[in-house]
Amino acid sequence: MSTVNRRHKDRLFGFLFGNEAHRDWTLSLYNAVSGSSHSNPDDILITTISDVIYMGMKALEDMPDDFLIRSSLLANRAEVKNMCITEYNETETMLMFKEEGRAEGHAQGQAEGRAQGRREAEAHFGKLMSFLLSKGLTEEAKLVSVDENMRTELYKKYGIV
């Protein structure tokens, strides 16, 4: 099995499609892979991340015949496919985003639940303390301030929870 230096392919791709002198080629490639028909090469914006190009490709045969580099792309189909350092798999990527979103939502829900639980616990404790102090039950108030079991028992006894 031969070793391929992908950095050379990346540099070649960058030279061909990231070069100001070849903006018309870049526009043609963009239109081919996105199925669009933009006409102003100055509207092109290229984004790379640490020498990785993320691109979802439609079938090369679906390219309109008038794209400038169509024949070259079709003639070099394997090289075009291998030119992308990282192949974009939309299904995998969407699943990854879904899992990340689910995890973030779960963590956020837990945090909100804990915050709500603290607010409710504070409200219950305040009601119990107010009730005990209004009845002159200061010894019970002192006890429930440090004894969770006693607090729970008195919440039930006085219908606070």
Side-chain angles (χ1 to χ4, degrees), residues 14 20 29-30 52 55-56 66 79-80 120 135 141 153:
E20 289 294 320
L29 177 64
Y30 178 82
V52 177
M55 185 184 310
D66 63 345
E79 290 81 6
V80 169
E120 290 175 5
K135 299 295 182 189
E153 184 179 314

Short mmCIF file of all heavy atoms in Angstrom, two decimals, residues 14 20 29-30 52 55-56 66 79-80 120 135 141 153:
data_model
loop_
_atom_site.label_atom_id
_atom_site.label_comp_id
_atom_site.label_asym_id
_atom_site.label_seq_id
_atom_site.Cartn_x
_atom_site.Cartn_y
_atom_site.Cartn_z
N GLY A 14 -5.56 24.20 -2.71
CA GLY A 14 -5.53 25.60 -2.29
C GLY A 14 -5.01 26.51 -3.38
O GLY A 14 -5.50 27.62 -3.58
N GLU A 20 -6.45 34.04 -5.82
CA GLU A 20 -7.23 35.16 -6.37
C GLU A 20 -7.28 35.14 -7.90
O GLU A 20 -8.27 35.54 -8.49
CB GLU A 20 -6.63 36.49 -5.90
CG GLU A 20 -6.85 36.76 -4.42
CD GLU A 20 -8.31 36.97 -4.07
OE1 GLU A 20 -9.05 37.61 -4.84
OE2 GLU A 20 -8.73 36.46 -3.02
N LEU A 29 -16.38 25.63 -9.23
CA LEU A 29 -16.40 24.48 -8.32
C LEU A 29 -17.52 24.63 -7.30
O LEU A 29 -18.27 23.69 -7.04
CB LEU A 29 -15.05 24.32 -7.62
CG LEU A 29 -14.99 23.19 -6.59
CD1 LEU A 29 -15.17 21.84 -7.25
CD2 LEU A 29 -13.67 23.24 -5.82
N TYR A 30 -17.65 25.82 -6.73
CA TYR A 30 -18.70 26.06 -5.74
C TYR A 30 -20.08 25.78 -6.33
O TYR A 30 -20.91 25.10 -5.74
CB TYR A 30 -18.63 27.49 -5.20
CG TYR A 30 -19.73 27.77 -4.21
CD1 TYR A 30 -19.59 27.38 -2.88
CD2 TYR A 30 -20.92 28.37 -4.60
CE1 TYR A 30 -20.60 27.60 -1.97
CE2 TYR A 30 -21.95 28.58 -3.70
CZ TYR A 30 -21.78 28.20 -2.38
OH TYR A 30 -22.79 28.41 -1.48
N VAL A 52 -7.96 21.48 6.73
CA VAL A 52 -9.02 20.52 6.43
C VAL A 52 -10.11 21.25 5.65
O VAL A 52 -10.49 22.35 6.01
CB VAL A 52 -9.62 19.92 7.72
CG1 VAL A 52 -10.77 18.99 7.40
CG2 VAL A 52 -8.54 19.19 8.50
N MET A 55 -16.52 19.45 2.71
CA MET A 55 -17.31 19.72 1.53
C MET A 55 -18.24 18.53 1.29
O MET A 55 -17.80 17.40 1.31
CB MET A 55 -16.38 19.92 0.33
CG MET A 55 -17.10 20.31 -0.92
SD MET A 55 -15.98 20.44 -2.34
CE MET A 55 -14.68 21.46 -1.72
N GLY A 56 -19.50 18.81 1.08
CA GLY A 56 -20.42 17.77 0.66
C GLY A 56 -20.56 17.86 -0.84
O GLY A 56 -20.87 18.91 -1.36
N ASP A 66 -22.02 23.68 -18.70
CA ASP A 66 -21.29 24.93 -18.92
C ASP A 66 -20.32 25.30 -17.80
O ASP A 66 -19.68 26.35 -17.85
CB ASP A 66 -22.27 26.08 -19.17
CG ASP A 66 -23.16 26.35 -17.97
OD1 ASP A 66 -23.25 25.50 -17.06
OD2 ASP A 66 -23.79 27.43 -17.96
N GLU A 79 -9.24 11.43 -8.26
CA GLU A 79 -8.39 12.45 -7.64
C GLU A 79 -9.24 13.54 -6.98
O GLU A 79 -8.90 14.04 -5.91
CB GLU A 79 -7.44 13.08 -8.65
CG GLU A 79 -6.33 12.15 -9.12
CD GLU A 79 -6.79 11.18 -10.20
OE1 GLU A 79 -7.93 11.29 -10.69
OE2 GLU A 79 -5.99 10.31 -10.56
N VAL A 80 -10.35 13.90 -7.62
CA VAL A 80 -11.24 14.91 -7.05
C VAL A 80 -11.79 14.41 -5.73
O VAL A 80 -11.79 15.13 -4.73
CB VAL A 80 -12.38 15.25 -8.02
CG1 VAL A 80 -13.44 16.10 -7.34
CG2 VAL A 80 -11.84 15.96 -9.25
N GLU A 120 -37.56 25.69 45.51
CA GLU A 120 -38.70 25.08 46.21
C GLU A 120 -38.32 24.70 47.63
O GLU A 120 -39.10 24.91 48.57
CB GLU A 120 -39.20 23.86 45.44
CG GLU A 120 -39.89 24.21 44.14
CD GLU A 120 -40.28 22.98 43.32
OE1 GLU A 120 -40.11 21.84 43.80
OE2 GLU A 120 -40.76 23.18 42.19
N LYS A 135 -45.74 30.20 66.02
CA LYS A 135 -46.37 29.41 67.09
C LYS A 135 -45.50 29.38 68.35
O LYS A 135 -45.85 28.71 69.32
CB LYS A 135 -46.64 27.98 66.62
CG LYS A 135 -47.57 27.86 65.44
CD LYS A 135 -48.97 28.33 65.79
CE LYS A 135 -49.89 28.15 64.61
NZ LYS A 135 -51.18 28.77 64.81
N ALA A 141 -37.74 24.93 65.75
CA ALA A 141 -37.11 25.70 64.67
C ALA A 141 -35.60 25.48 64.68
O ALA A 141 -34.99 25.30 63.62
CB ALA A 141 -37.43 27.18 64.82
N GLU A 153 -40.22 15.41 58.36
CA GLU A 153 -41.37 14.99 59.18
C GLU A 153 -42.32 16.17 59.43
O GLU A 153 -43.54 16.03 59.30
CB GLU A 153 -40.85 14.44 60.52
CG GLU A 153 -41.92 13.88 61.41
CD GLU A 153 -41.33 13.34 62.71
OE1 GLU A 153 -40.31 12.63 62.65
OE2 GLU A 153 -41.91 13.65 63.76
#
